[in-house]
Amino acid sequence: MDILKQRVLQALSLTDDFYNHINEGCLTLKISDVPSNTIGEQAYCMIGARESYLKSLKIGKWAGFDCSLIDRNNKL
């Protein structure tokens, strides 16, 4: 369980570092030649998934998808 906790915390730290070092204008951009969502929409999905899975782990069952980000194009 300690290795899982360590990996989750490392992933959260790396994600936090990445989004703290890009400006908000980058959130509306897409990766070229790749059929994907904007960087902001990807962040919303990734952060929401991590928050949702951690919440579910704490309570022992799926509690639905939820994301603390209010706007997919805003880092707040």
Side-chain angles (χ1 to χ4, degrees), residues 37-57:
N37 292 332
T38 65
I39 292 171
E41 290 167 332
Q42 290 180 29
Y44 181 85
C45 291
M46 183 174 54
I47 292 167
R50 287 180 180 173
E51 290 174 348
S52 299
Y53 282 117
L54 287 173
K55 181 178 177 182
S56 295
L57 283 171

Side-chain angles (χ1 to χ4, degrees), residues 8-67:
V8 168
L9 290 174
Q10 181 182 20
L12 292 172
S13 177
L14 290 170
T15 302
D16 188 53
D17 190 45
F18 175 76
Y19 285 102
N20 280 327
H21 286 89
I22 63 172
N23 67 46
E24 288 185 22
C26 293
L27 297 176
T28 61
L29 301 175
K30 289 188 172 191
I31 300 170
S32 344
D33 300 324
V34 176
S36 64
N37 292 332
T38 65
I39 292 171
E41 290 167 332
Q42 290 180 29
Y44 181 85
C45 291
M46 183 174 54
I47 292 167
R50 287 180 180 173
E51 290 174 348
S52 299
Y53 282 117
L54 287 173
K55 181 178 177 182
S56 295
L57 283 171
K58 287 178 183 177
I59 64 172
K61 65 179 183 175
W62 180 244
F65 182 88
D66 192 25
C67 185

